[in-house]
Amino acid sequence: MIEDKNPQRTSIAQLGEFGLIDHLTKNFEINQPSTLKGIGDDAAVLDFKDKKVVVSTDLLIEGVHFDLAYMPLKHLGYKAVVVNVSDICAMNAKPTQITVSVAVSNRFPLEALDELFAGITHAAREYNVDVIGGDTTSSQKGLIISITALGEADENEIVYRNGAKQTDLLVVTGDIGAAYMGLQVLEREKQVFQVNPNSQPDLDAYTYLIERQLKPEARKDVRTLLHALEIKPTSMIDISDGLSSEIMHLCKQSKVGCNLYEDKLPIDPQFINVCEEFNIDSTTVAINGGEDYELLFTIAMEDFEKIKGNPNFTIIGHMTQESEGIHLVTRANTKIALKARGWDALTQ
């Protein structure tokens, strides 16, 4: 396909704030019965009746959380929704609504925002959440996105971080580490491009890893899967900052220790190959790399028979007395104190 060297650029200033809001929100649909009033008034109106409401919010800042050198705006819009929906899933709740706020500099034409909101619209449909409001403003530093997600659950369904008990099993969904290695591949190709802008990267060998980085998916299915298995987790968190960091959050909140087993970590073959290519230890990446958006949770030992052999879940350890500490048990059966080396936005 021939690239259009002179794409249309419509100045946002031509529309004004309210014209821009009307333009960006015209494709959003209302599907949730709890949404009484969405966009168009001073506030949205929701009715959850006897359900409990869970709320989470995230801020994504250009240059800190994403790099537009390799992050397409449509993918960014999709991912911005996913990272917030994932927090709702981590409470064992059903995502229902989001608000979207963006701050943009004048280097972004209307067409760029159309791409961003196309991704947001696609994610809203995929996860069946209503976009019910937000804000737009200007920025002197680039693009900033803030999304707030809401969800609903019966009170007895909600799972917190502080419910893990000694002897509980530690379980993770999917596989881990791939998103981090996808980022390493993209960063490498960016550096190659900066040296030689005419180079065309061959990314076929990295498709899965790059997809995990650019277009992650929240585990909206886990709530249904666990309900079918008649399992209610005792604690739960999503893996956004790295497995080791999330385990330490659960242990701190629940006042327990943990043994994590290296030989139980679920990792993808493509991930292993690329770790070898980069000469990086796969275990180090698997326990410290972030942005997998899988769910990490604990279950009672009595539920082992219900979950064993299920392809959606991997038992990777068990909780212990708090005094025993938090350890990685290596393949050589050596205990190493687990440290949180995952993502920390304030130290980047």
Side-chain angles (χ1 to χ4, degrees):
M1 185 166 60
I2 299 174
E3 182 182 358
D4 184 357
K5 299 297 184 182
N6 296 292
Q8 182 179 355
R9 290 178 61 88
T10 305
S11 169
I12 294 172
Q14 287 181 229
L15 282 79
E17 181 181 1
F18 296 109
L20 177 62
I21 291 170
D22 289 342
H23 177 86
L24 294 176
T25 61
K26 64 179 186 256
N27 293 322
F28 293 141
E29 302 169 348
I30 298 300
N31 295 304
Q32 294 290 337
S34 53
T35 306
L36 299 185
K37 177 66 178 178
I39 295 167
D41 219 302
D42 290 308
V45 181
L46 309 178
D47 179 11
F48 287 91
K49 297 182 169 60
D50 56 349
K51 298 280 187 180
K52 300 301 178 184
V53 181
V54 295
V55 183
S56 181
T57 191
D58 264 313
L59 194 64
L60 299 178
I61 299 174
E62 184 179 355
V64 177
H65 300 100
F66 60 88
D67 187 336
L68 292 178
Y70 48 73
M71 170 64 85
L73 284 165
K74 190 171 183 178
H75 285 69
L76 177 61
Y78 190 94
K79 184 174 181 176
V81 176
V82 165
V83 301
N84 285 275
V85 167
S86 182
D87 284 332
I88 303 301
C89 295
M91 300 295 293
N92 202 36
K94 172 190 171 186
T96 49
Q97 288 92 6
I98 59 171
T99 65
V100 179
S101 296
V102 295
V104 290
S105 67
N106 58 13
R107 86 173 201 269
F108 291 93
L110 178 63
E111 288 73 19
L113 281 185
D114 279 341
E115 280 292 294
L116 179 72
F117 272 73
I120 292 171
T121 303
H122 181 54
R125 289 172 181 160
E126 179 69 24
Y127 289 93
N128 194 26
V129 293
D130 294 340
V131 183
I132 59 167
D135 193 18
T136 57
T137 189
S138 60
S139 163
Q140 295 182 333
K141 297 295 183 182
L143 178 61
I144 301 171
I145 308 169
S146 177
I147 291 184
T148 297
L150 296 91
E152 66 177 34
D154 292 335
E155 187 171 9
N156 62 359
E157 294 177 321
I158 297 174
V159 178
Y160 301 93
R161 296 180 182 181
N162 63 358
K165 305 290 191 298
Q166 298 173 26
T167 76
D168 277 0
L169 300 175
L170 184 66
V171 185
V172 69
T173 63
D175 60 81
I176 54 177
Y180 179 86
M181 288 313 298
L183 179 62
Q184 301 316 300
V185 170
L186 291 167
E187 285 287 352
R188 181 184 67 182
E189 296 306 323
K190 175 187 173 183
Q191 291 171 14
V192 171
F193 177 78
Q194 288 173 338
V195 173
N196 180 14
N198 293 319
S199 67
Q200 291 295 321
D202 182 3
L203 301 176
D204 288 347
Y206 313 105
T207 304
Y208 178 66
L209 307 185
I210 291 172
E211 182 176 336
R212 292 282 279 180
Q213 170 58 221
L214 296 185
K215 190 177 176 289
E217 299 291 352
R219 294 305 302 261
K220 64 177 181 178
D221 58 325
V222 168
R223 183 171 183 261
T224 303
L225 289 169
L226 291 173
H227 186 265
L229 293 170
E230 298 183 344
I231 294 175
K232 181 187 175 183
T234 53
S235 67
M236 188 185 286
I237 192 170
D238 78 328
I239 304 176
S240 55
D241 300 329
L243 179 66
S244 58
S245 295
E246 314 304 3
I247 288 174
M248 296 183 80
H249 284 312
L250 291 185
C251 289
K252 180 180 179 181
Q253 293 283 331
S254 298
K255 295 182 170 54
V256 293
C258 180
N259 285 332
L260 169 69
Y261 292 88
E262 182 182 19
D263 62 350
K264 301 297 184 184
L265 296 173
I267 49 182
D268 186 82
Q270 189 176 100
F271 165 79
I272 296 172
N273 292 339
V274 177
C275 283
E276 291 175 354
E277 180 184 335
F278 277 72
N279 196 26
I280 299 175
D281 179 65
S282 60
T283 297
T284 300
V285 176
I287 65 175
N288 294 304
E291 295 196 294
D292 291 307
Y293 299 104
E294 297 292 344
L295 295 180
L296 176 73
F297 58 93
T298 54
I299 62 172
M301 182 72 77
E302 296 76 48
D303 287 331
F304 171 73
E305 292 294 331
K306 298 177 183 177
I307 207 170
K308 74 171 184 177
N310 191 301
N312 297 286
F313 308 113
T314 304
I315 299 170
I316 58 173
H318 63 87
M319 315 315 276
T320 63
Q321 292 183 16
E322 186 176 20
S323 59
E324 291 188 26
I326 307 169
H327 294 93
L328 173 69
V329 181
T330 69
R331 292 184 180 90
N333 205 31
T334 303
K335 277 190 173 184
I336 302 173
L338 201 62
K339 296 182 180 178
R341 294 192 176 94
W343 169 263
D344 183 343
L346 300 182
T347 62
Q348 303 306 311

